[in-house]
Amino acid sequence: TEPNGYTVPVFCMRVWHADAMKTMASLNRMVLVLDGQTEYAINRAYFKLLSDPKQNPFDFFHILKMDMRFMLFDAFFVNLLLNGAKLQFQTSYWALLMYANLDVNVRWTQFTLCLTHLTCAHSWFRKLIEWQKVRESRIMVREEFRTRMAVADWREYDKLVFFQRSVAVVLTLQFLFQLLCAIKFCMSKWYCEAHLWNLLHGCVEGLKVVDATNFD
């Protein structure tokens, strides 16, 4: 119904129905719906480019820019903040259980922690592959249409580059934080006697567990 998209006055941008559906799917964590959306966005951008009689690359860059904008929000709020908080909480919880030396089985805690690491790594790897595909498509179209690109096309291209670099920064931060959590787990398990470690002070010794049942 809207072949050229429609303008959202509040955000001063032009979107398509597919972009709105992707946002709704992300908010509701519909993984199967979101799977392969970047490949679909690239194919849709190529279709818009080839179906245009003038072969104006503006819509091509705009579609990929909207996909990168969506990926940036998802990578920052879900991959970095949400998954990072889960990793930090589960690692600290496991270390405190080991330190308290309670009569509990920590194997399930380690198992869930490993699953969280695997799911975070898988999400990071998929986003990295999708980011690379968009980058290759962007460079190829730029080289092919460089002589025919107008000022508006270059402006949209620069916006796409900005969002891509922002996604790269967020993915780098996620990789470093997950690596830090993995180092914290290894140091707490095999190096520190009290099973407590942090980046600033190394192994933490001499702490005492407070007995909540003793009020004397």
mmCIF file of all heavy atoms in Angstrom, residues 133-173:
data_model
loop_
_atom_site.group_PDB
_atom_site.id
_atom_site.type_symbol
_atom_site.label_atom_id
_atom_site.label_comp_id
_atom_site.label_asym_id
_atom_site.label_seq_id
_atom_site.Cartn_x
_atom_site.Cartn_y
_atom_site.Cartn_z
ATOM 1 N N LYS A 133 27.744 -8.507 5.769
ATOM 2 C CA LYS A 133 27.005 -8.576 4.510
ATOM 3 C C LYS A 133 26.519 -7.191 4.084
ATOM 4 O O LYS A 133 26.595 -6.829 2.900
ATOM 5 C CB LYS A 133 25.821 -9.532 4.655
ATOM 6 C CG LYS A 133 26.213 -10.997 4.759
ATOM 7 C CD LYS A 133 24.990 -11.878 4.872
ATOM 8 C CE LYS A 133 25.377 -13.348 4.949
ATOM 9 N NZ LYS A 133 24.199 -14.239 5.087
ATOM 10 N N VAL A 134 26.020 -6.417 5.035
ATOM 11 C CA VAL A 134 25.563 -5.062 4.713
ATOM 12 C C VAL A 134 26.736 -4.193 4.269
ATOM 13 O O VAL A 134 26.627 -3.404 3.324
ATOM 14 C CB VAL A 134 24.851 -4.438 5.930
ATOM 15 C CG1 VAL A 134 24.515 -2.969 5.669
ATOM 16 C CG2 VAL A 134 23.573 -5.209 6.240
ATOM 17 N N ARG A 135 27.866 -4.355 4.918
ATOM 18 C CA ARG A 135 29.052 -3.573 4.542
ATOM 19 C C ARG A 135 29.499 -3.901 3.121
ATOM 20 O O ARG A 135 29.824 -2.994 2.332
ATOM 21 C CB ARG A 135 30.186 -3.847 5.528
ATOM 22 C CG ARG A 135 31.466 -3.081 5.232
ATOM 23 C CD ARG A 135 32.538 -3.368 6.267
ATOM 24 N NE ARG A 135 33.764 -2.636 5.972
ATOM 25 C CZ ARG A 135 34.716 -3.058 5.165
ATOM 26 N NH1 ARG A 135 34.590 -4.243 4.548
ATOM 27 N NH2 ARG A 135 35.793 -2.332 4.945
ATOM 28 N N GLU A 136 29.532 -5.183 2.764
ATOM 29 C CA GLU A 136 29.937 -5.563 1.412
ATOM 30 C C GLU A 136 28.968 -5.028 0.367
ATOM 31 O O GLU A 136 29.395 -4.536 -0.691
ATOM 32 C CB GLU A 136 30.024 -7.083 1.327
ATOM 33 C CG GLU A 136 31.162 -7.680 2.154
ATOM 34 C CD GLU A 136 31.138 -9.189 2.162
ATOM 35 O OE1 GLU A 136 30.162 -9.765 1.600
ATOM 36 O OE2 GLU A 136 32.070 -9.804 2.717
ATOM 37 N N SER A 137 27.661 -5.093 0.653
ATOM 38 C CA SER A 137 26.669 -4.566 -0.291
ATOM 39 C C SER A 137 26.803 -3.057 -0.438
ATOM 40 O O SER A 137 26.703 -2.513 -1.547
ATOM 41 C CB SER A 137 25.257 -4.935 0.176
ATOM 42 O OG SER A 137 25.097 -6.335 0.281
ATOM 43 N N ARG A 138 27.021 -2.372 0.676
ATOM 44 C CA ARG A 138 27.177 -0.913 0.636
ATOM 45 C C ARG A 138 28.374 -0.503 -0.217
ATOM 46 O O ARG A 138 28.267 0.403 -1.063
ATOM 47 C CB ARG A 138 27.338 -0.380 2.061
ATOM 48 C CG ARG A 138 27.790 1.059 2.139
ATOM 49 C CD ARG A 138 27.875 1.525 3.579
ATOM 50 N NE ARG A 138 28.849 0.796 4.352
ATOM 51 C CZ ARG A 138 30.150 1.076 4.388
ATOM 52 N NH1 ARG A 138 30.636 2.056 3.638
ATOM 53 N NH2 ARG A 138 30.976 0.398 5.158
ATOM 54 N N ILE A 139 29.501 -1.144 -0.027
ATOM 55 C CA ILE A 139 30.710 -0.788 -0.766
ATOM 56 C C ILE A 139 30.546 -1.103 -2.254
ATOM 57 O O ILE A 139 30.968 -0.316 -3.122
ATOM 58 C CB ILE A 139 31.924 -1.525 -0.172
ATOM 59 C CG1 ILE A 139 32.202 -1.021 1.241
ATOM 60 C CG2 ILE A 139 33.152 -1.337 -1.056
ATOM 61 C CD1 ILE A 139 33.323 -1.750 1.944
ATOM 62 N N MET A 140 29.905 -2.222 -2.579
ATOM 63 C CA MET A 140 29.745 -2.596 -3.973
ATOM 64 C C MET A 140 28.862 -1.602 -4.717
ATOM 65 O O MET A 140 29.186 -1.176 -5.840
ATOM 66 C CB MET A 140 29.152 -4.003 -4.072
ATOM 67 C CG MET A 140 29.039 -4.517 -5.500
ATOM 68 S SD MET A 140 28.468 -6.231 -5.561
ATOM 69 C CE MET A 140 26.839 -6.056 -4.831
ATOM 70 N N VAL A 141 27.753 -1.186 -4.114
ATOM 71 C CA VAL A 141 26.858 -0.222 -4.755
ATOM 72 C C VAL A 141 27.528 1.146 -4.837
ATOM 73 O O VAL A 141 27.373 1.865 -5.837
ATOM 74 C CB VAL A 141 25.526 -0.151 -3.989
ATOM 75 C CG1 VAL A 141 24.658 0.993 -4.505
ATOM 76 C CG2 VAL A 141 24.778 -1.469 -4.119
ATOM 77 N N ARG A 142 28.265 1.518 -3.820
ATOM 78 C CA ARG A 142 28.962 2.810 -3.867
ATOM 79 C C ARG A 142 29.965 2.864 -5.014
ATOM 80 O O ARG A 142 30.053 3.871 -5.726
ATOM 81 C CB ARG A 142 29.675 3.056 -2.547
ATOM 82 C CG ARG A 142 30.391 4.403 -2.464
ATOM 83 C CD ARG A 142 31.412 4.399 -1.353
ATOM 84 N NE ARG A 142 32.487 3.434 -1.612
ATOM 85 C CZ ARG A 142 33.437 3.118 -0.734
ATOM 86 N NH1 ARG A 142 33.439 3.680 0.461
ATOM 87 N NH2 ARG A 142 34.374 2.245 -1.052
ATOM 88 N N GLU A 143 30.723 1.799 -5.204
ATOM 89 C CA GLU A 143 31.710 1.785 -6.272
ATOM 90 C C GLU A 143 31.053 1.785 -7.650
ATOM 91 O O GLU A 143 31.578 2.377 -8.593
ATOM 92 C CB GLU A 143 32.624 0.562 -6.129
ATOM 93 C CG GLU A 143 33.472 0.580 -4.866
ATOM 94 C CD GLU A 143 34.389 1.778 -4.810
ATOM 95 O OE1 GLU A 143 34.890 2.189 -5.881
ATOM 96 O OE2 GLU A 143 34.596 2.322 -3.698
ATOM 97 N N GLU A 144 29.883 1.140 -7.752
ATOM 98 C CA GLU A 144 29.226 1.044 -9.052
ATOM 99 C C GLU A 144 28.512 2.329 -9.429
ATOM 100 O O GLU A 144 28.484 2.715 -10.612
ATOM 101 C CB GLU A 144 28.238 -0.121 -9.049
ATOM 102 C CG GLU A 144 27.560 -0.347 -10.387
ATOM 103 C CD GLU A 144 26.652 -1.566 -10.368
ATOM 104 O OE1 GLU A 144 26.639 -2.286 -9.337
ATOM 105 O OE2 GLU A 144 25.949 -1.784 -11.371
ATOM 106 N N PHE A 145 27.922 3.025 -8.443
ATOM 107 C CA PHE A 145 27.115 4.209 -8.731
ATOM 108 C C PHE A 145 27.796 5.498 -8.259
ATOM 109 O O PHE A 145 27.125 6.522 -8.114
ATOM 110 C CB PHE A 145 25.747 4.090 -8.057
ATOM 111 C CG PHE A 145 24.886 2.997 -8.621
ATOM 112 C CD1 PHE A 145 24.976 1.710 -8.106
ATOM 113 C CD2 PHE A 145 24.014 3.241 -9.667
ATOM 114 C CE1 PHE A 145 24.190 0.687 -8.616
ATOM 115 C CE2 PHE A 145 23.223 2.231 -10.175
ATOM 116 C CZ PHE A 145 23.316 0.942 -9.660
ATOM 117 N N ARG A 146 29.072 5.472 -8.033
ATOM 118 C CA ARG A 146 29.765 6.636 -7.490
ATOM 119 C C ARG A 146 29.588 7.878 -8.372
ATOM 120 O O ARG A 146 29.337 8.977 -7.873
ATOM 121 C CB ARG A 146 31.262 6.323 -7.332
ATOM 122 C CG ARG A 146 32.090 7.499 -6.828
ATOM 123 C CD ARG A 146 33.570 7.170 -6.879
ATOM 124 N NE ARG A 146 33.897 6.125 -5.932
ATOM 125 C CZ ARG A 146 34.248 6.351 -4.661
ATOM 126 N NH1 ARG A 146 34.302 7.596 -4.217
ATOM 127 N NH2 ARG A 146 34.546 5.358 -3.862
ATOM 128 N N THR A 147 29.698 7.708 -9.667
ATOM 129 C CA THR A 147 29.648 8.858 -10.573
ATOM 130 C C THR A 147 28.239 9.414 -10.735
ATOM 131 O O THR A 147 28.071 10.551 -11.186
ATOM 132 C CB THR A 147 30.204 8.471 -11.948
ATOM 133 O OG1 THR A 147 29.445 7.366 -12.480
ATOM 134 C CG2 THR A 147 31.670 8.067 -11.834
ATOM 135 N N ARG A 148 27.223 8.612 -10.375
ATOM 136 C CA ARG A 148 25.838 9.052 -10.559
ATOM 137 C C ARG A 148 25.160 9.445 -9.255
ATOM 138 O O ARG A 148 23.974 9.766 -9.252
ATOM 139 C CB ARG A 148 25.026 7.933 -11.220
ATOM 140 C CG ARG A 148 25.330 7.741 -12.693
ATOM 141 C CD ARG A 148 24.489 6.629 -13.281
ATOM 142 N NE ARG A 148 25.023 5.311 -12.956
ATOM 143 C CZ ARG A 148 24.420 4.161 -13.243
ATOM 144 N NH1 ARG A 148 23.254 4.186 -13.849
ATOM 145 N NH2 ARG A 148 24.974 3.014 -12.925
ATOM 146 N N MET A 149 25.864 9.408 -8.152
ATOM 147 C CA MET A 149 25.263 9.713 -6.860
ATOM 148 C C MET A 149 25.164 11.212 -6.644
ATOM 149 O O MET A 149 26.156 11.947 -6.820
ATOM 150 C CB MET A 149 26.074 9.050 -5.730
ATOM 151 C CG MET A 149 25.924 7.539 -5.680
ATOM 152 S SD MET A 149 26.990 6.751 -4.447
ATOM 153 C CE MET A 149 26.435 7.536 -2.943
ATOM 154 N N ALA A 150 23.967 11.651 -6.241
ATOM 155 C CA ALA A 150 23.733 13.063 -5.960
ATOM 156 C C ALA A 150 24.079 13.359 -4.499
ATOM 157 O O ALA A 150 24.484 12.481 -3.741
ATOM 158 C CB ALA A 150 22.281 13.427 -6.249
ATOM 159 N N VAL A 151 23.885 14.618 -4.110
ATOM 160 C CA VAL A 151 24.198 15.022 -2.742
ATOM 161 C C VAL A 151 23.324 14.277 -1.737
ATOM 162 O O VAL A 151 23.793 13.839 -0.676
ATOM 163 C CB VAL A 151 24.025 16.549 -2.599
ATOM 164 C CG1 VAL A 151 24.264 16.984 -1.157
ATOM 165 C CG2 VAL A 151 24.968 17.282 -3.544
ATOM 166 N N ALA A 152 22.026 14.119 -2.066
ATOM 167 C CA ALA A 152 21.127 13.396 -1.163
ATOM 168 C C ALA A 152 21.545 11.934 -1.013
ATOM 169 O O ALA A 152 21.430 11.349 0.071
ATOM 170 C CB ALA A 152 19.693 13.484 -1.677
ATOM 171 N N ASP A 153 22.023 11.333 -2.092
ATOM 172 C CA ASP A 153 22.489 9.950 -2.016
ATOM 173 C C ASP A 153 23.698 9.821 -1.104
ATOM 174 O O ASP A 153 23.770 8.904 -0.286
ATOM 175 C CB ASP A 153 22.848 9.436 -3.407
ATOM 176 C CG ASP A 153 21.668 9.512 -4.364
ATOM 177 O OD1 ASP A 153 20.524 9.427 -3.881
ATOM 178 O OD2 ASP A 153 21.897 9.672 -5.580
ATOM 179 N N TRP A 154 24.650 10.741 -1.220
ATOM 180 C CA TRP A 154 25.829 10.706 -0.357
ATOM 181 C C TRP A 154 25.458 10.966 1.097
ATOM 182 O O TRP A 154 26.057 10.385 2.015
ATOM 183 C CB TRP A 154 26.857 11.734 -0.827
ATOM 184 C CG TRP A 154 27.634 11.307 -2.018
ATOM 185 C CD1 TRP A 154 27.549 11.796 -3.287
ATOM 186 C CD2 TRP A 154 28.628 10.271 -2.063
ATOM 187 N NE1 TRP A 154 28.416 11.135 -4.126
ATOM 188 C CE2 TRP A 154 29.103 10.200 -3.404
ATOM 189 C CE3 TRP A 154 29.162 9.408 -1.116
ATOM 190 C CZ2 TRP A 154 30.079 9.300 -3.794
ATOM 191 C CZ3 TRP A 154 30.133 8.497 -1.508
ATOM 192 C CH2 TRP A 154 30.593 8.447 -2.818
ATOM 193 N N ARG A 155 24.473 11.812 1.325
ATOM 194 C CA ARG A 155 24.045 12.081 2.694
ATOM 195 C C ARG A 155 23.437 10.829 3.324
ATOM 196 O O ARG A 155 23.704 10.511 4.491
ATOM 197 C CB ARG A 155 23.037 13.237 2.704
ATOM 198 C CG ARG A 155 22.685 13.715 4.110
ATOM 199 C CD ARG A 155 21.708 14.871 4.079
ATOM 200 N NE ARG A 155 22.282 16.041 3.414
ATOM 201 C CZ ARG A 155 21.841 16.547 2.269
ATOM 202 N NH1 ARG A 155 20.804 15.984 1.654
ATOM 203 N NH2 ARG A 155 22.419 17.601 1.734
ATOM 204 N N GLU A 156 22.619 10.121 2.557
ATOM 205 C CA GLU A 156 22.032 8.879 3.067
ATOM 206 C C GLU A 156 23.116 7.808 3.247
ATOM 207 O O GLU A 156 23.059 7.010 4.191
ATOM 208 C CB GLU A 156 20.956 8.381 2.096
ATOM 209 C CG GLU A 156 19.978 7.388 2.702
ATOM 210 C CD GLU A 156 19.075 8.015 3.741
ATOM 211 O OE1 GLU A 156 19.040 9.277 3.833
ATOM 212 O OE2 GLU A 156 18.408 7.265 4.466
ATOM 213 N N TYR A 157 24.091 7.822 2.367
ATOM 214 C CA TYR A 157 25.210 6.883 2.492
ATOM 215 C C TYR A 157 26.003 7.150 3.776
ATOM 216 O O TYR A 157 26.386 6.212 4.490
ATOM 217 C CB TYR A 157 26.116 7.014 1.267
ATOM 218 C CG TYR A 157 27.378 6.190 1.348
ATOM 219 C CD1 TYR A 157 27.374 4.844 0.995
ATOM 220 C CD2 TYR A 157 28.573 6.761 1.787
ATOM 221 C CE1 TYR A 157 28.533 4.091 1.071
ATOM 222 C CE2 TYR A 157 29.729 6.014 1.860
ATOM 223 C CZ TYR A 157 29.707 4.677 1.509
ATOM 224 O OH TYR A 157 30.862 3.940 1.594
ATOM 225 N N ASP A 158 26.236 8.416 4.079
ATOM 226 C CA ASP A 158 26.974 8.766 5.297
ATOM 227 C C ASP A 158 26.205 8.347 6.552
ATOM 228 O O ASP A 158 26.812 7.911 7.545
ATOM 229 C CB ASP A 158 27.251 10.269 5.336
ATOM 230 C CG ASP A 158 28.247 10.688 4.254
ATOM 231 O OD1 ASP A 158 29.008 9.826 3.783
ATOM 232 O OD2 ASP A 158 28.237 11.882 3.874
ATOM 233 N N LYS A 159 24.883 8.454 6.513
ATOM 234 C CA LYS A 159 24.083 7.999 7.653
ATOM 235 C C LYS A 159 24.206 6.491 7.840
ATOM 236 O O LYS A 159 24.302 5.999 8.970
ATOM 237 C CB LYS A 159 22.617 8.387 7.446
ATOM 238 C CG LYS A 159 22.345 9.875 7.484
ATOM 239 C CD LYS A 159 20.880 10.166 7.226
ATOM 240 C CE LYS A 159 20.595 11.658 7.204
ATOM 241 N NZ LYS A 159 19.170 11.954 6.904
ATOM 242 N N LEU A 160 24.205 5.755 6.736
ATOM 243 C CA LEU A 160 24.380 4.300 6.807
ATOM 244 C C LEU A 160 25.743 3.948 7.399
ATOM 245 O O LEU A 160 25.850 3.047 8.247
ATOM 246 C CB LEU A 160 24.225 3.697 5.416
ATOM 247 C CG LEU A 160 24.567 2.208 5.265
ATOM 248 C CD1 LEU A 160 23.710 1.346 6.173
ATOM 249 C CD2 LEU A 160 24.410 1.776 3.815
ATOM 250 N N VAL A 161 26.784 4.658 6.981
ATOM 251 C CA VAL A 161 28.125 4.420 7.513
ATOM 252 C C VAL A 161 28.171 4.709 9.011
ATOM 253 O O VAL A 161 28.784 3.962 9.793
ATOM 254 C CB VAL A 161 29.167 5.276 6.763
ATOM 255 C CG1 VAL A 161 30.530 5.185 7.432
ATOM 256 C CG2 VAL A 161 29.259 4.834 5.314
ATOM 257 N N PHE A 162 27.504 5.779 9.443
ATOM 258 C CA PHE A 162 27.472 6.121 10.868
ATOM 259 C C PHE A 162 26.835 5.003 11.690
ATOM 260 O O PHE A 162 27.371 4.602 12.740
ATOM 261 C CB PHE A 162 26.713 7.432 11.078
ATOM 262 C CG PHE A 162 26.412 7.734 12.516
ATOM 263 C CD1 PHE A 162 27.408 8.224 13.348
ATOM 264 C CD2 PHE A 162 25.144 7.512 13.032
ATOM 265 C CE1 PHE A 162 27.145 8.497 14.685
ATOM 266 C CE2 PHE A 162 24.868 7.784 14.366
ATOM 267 C CZ PHE A 162 25.872 8.277 15.193
ATOM 268 N N PHE A 163 25.696 4.496 11.234
ATOM 269 C CA PHE A 163 25.029 3.424 11.976
ATOM 270 C C PHE A 163 25.867 2.143 11.964
ATOM 271 O O PHE A 163 25.912 1.417 12.964
ATOM 272 C CB PHE A 163 23.644 3.155 11.397
ATOM 273 C CG PHE A 163 22.598 4.120 11.861
ATOM 274 C CD1 PHE A 163 22.040 5.045 10.990
ATOM 275 C CD2 PHE A 163 22.164 4.117 13.175
ATOM 276 C CE1 PHE A 163 21.070 5.943 11.421
ATOM 277 C CE2 PHE A 163 21.202 5.003 13.621
ATOM 278 C CZ PHE A 163 20.655 5.922 12.742
ATOM 279 N N GLN A 164 26.534 1.865 10.859
ATOM 280 C CA GLN A 164 27.380 0.677 10.812
ATOM 281 C C GLN A 164 28.544 0.782 11.782
ATOM 282 O O GLN A 164 28.885 -0.191 12.470
ATOM 283 C CB GLN A 164 27.902 0.460 9.401
ATOM 284 C CG GLN A 164 26.920 -0.282 8.492
ATOM 285 C CD GLN A 164 27.635 -1.132 7.467
ATOM 286 O OE1 GLN A 164 28.335 -0.611 6.610
ATOM 287 N NE2 GLN A 164 27.464 -2.434 7.542
ATOM 288 N N ARG A 165 29.161 1.933 11.858
ATOM 289 C CA ARG A 165 30.263 2.105 12.805
ATOM 290 C C ARG A 165 29.772 2.032 14.239
ATOM 291 O O ARG A 165 30.477 1.508 15.116
ATOM 292 C CB ARG A 165 30.957 3.434 12.535
ATOM 293 C CG ARG A 165 31.731 3.459 11.216
ATOM 294 C CD ARG A 165 32.333 4.823 10.929
ATOM 295 N NE ARG A 165 33.118 4.799 9.695
ATOM 296 C CZ ARG A 165 33.658 5.876 9.147
ATOM 297 N NH1 ARG A 165 33.503 7.076 9.728
ATOM 298 N NH2 ARG A 165 34.359 5.781 8.019
ATOM 299 N N SER A 166 28.574 2.539 14.493
ATOM 300 C CA SER A 166 28.018 2.458 15.845
ATOM 301 C C SER A 166 27.754 1.005 16.239
ATOM 302 O O SER A 166 28.022 0.601 17.382
ATOM 303 C CB SER A 166 26.724 3.268 15.930
ATOM 304 O OG SER A 166 26.949 4.627 15.607
ATOM 305 N N VAL A 167 27.217 0.221 15.309
ATOM 306 C CA VAL A 167 27.004 -1.210 15.575
ATOM 307 C C VAL A 167 28.329 -1.905 15.846
ATOM 308 O O VAL A 167 28.434 -2.756 16.753
ATOM 309 C CB VAL A 167 26.264 -1.875 14.399
ATOM 310 C CG1 VAL A 167 26.235 -3.394 14.569
ATOM 311 C CG2 VAL A 167 24.846 -1.340 14.290
ATOM 312 N N ALA A 168 29.366 -1.554 15.097
ATOM 313 C CA ALA A 168 30.681 -2.167 15.307
ATOM 314 C C ALA A 168 31.219 -1.854 16.702
ATOM 315 O O ALA A 168 31.808 -2.718 17.360
ATOM 316 C CB ALA A 168 31.654 -1.670 14.241
ATOM 317 N N VAL A 169 31.008 -0.635 17.181
ATOM 318 C CA VAL A 169 31.451 -0.264 18.522
ATOM 319 C C VAL A 169 30.713 -1.080 19.581
ATOM 320 O O VAL A 169 31.318 -1.599 20.531
ATOM 321 C CB VAL A 169 31.256 1.247 18.756
ATOM 322 C CG1 VAL A 169 31.505 1.608 20.215
ATOM 323 C CG2 VAL A 169 32.189 2.047 17.863
ATOM 324 N N VAL A 170 29.392 -1.216 19.426
ATOM 325 C CA VAL A 170 28.600 -1.969 20.403
ATOM 326 C C VAL A 170 28.997 -3.444 20.409
ATOM 327 O O VAL A 170 29.129 -4.060 21.472
ATOM 328 C CB VAL A 170 27.096 -1.806 20.109
ATOM 329 C CG1 VAL A 170 26.270 -2.699 21.031
ATOM 330 C CG2 VAL A 170 26.672 -0.355 20.301
ATOM 331 N N LEU A 171 29.201 -4.023 19.241
ATOM 332 C CA LEU A 171 29.612 -5.425 19.172
ATOM 333 C C LEU A 171 30.994 -5.628 19.786
ATOM 334 O O LEU A 171 31.251 -6.656 20.427
ATOM 335 C CB LEU A 171 29.604 -5.906 17.720
ATOM 336 C CG LEU A 171 28.238 -6.022 17.043
ATOM 337 C CD1 LEU A 171 28.385 -6.516 15.616
ATOM 338 C CD2 LEU A 171 27.323 -6.962 17.826
ATOM 339 N N THR A 172 31.883 -4.657 19.611
ATOM 340 C CA THR A 172 33.202 -4.751 20.247
ATOM 341 C C THR A 172 33.076 -4.709 21.765
ATOM 342 O O THR A 172 33.731 -5.491 22.482
ATOM 343 C CB THR A 172 34.109 -3.614 19.760
ATOM 344 O OG1 THR A 172 34.218 -3.667 18.332
ATOM 345 C CG2 THR A 172 35.492 -3.725 20.374
ATOM 346 N N LEU A 173 32.232 -3.825 22.284
ATOM 347 C CA LEU A 173 32.020 -3.747 23.728
ATOM 348 C C LEU A 173 31.410 -5.041 24.268
ATOM 349 O O LEU A 173 31.799 -5.510 25.346
ATOM 350 C CB LEU A 173 31.116 -2.558 24.061
ATOM 351 C CG LEU A 173 31.701 -1.167 23.822
ATOM 352 C CD1 LEU A 173 30.664 -0.096 24.116
ATOM 353 C CD2 LEU A 173 32.950 -0.952 24.675
#
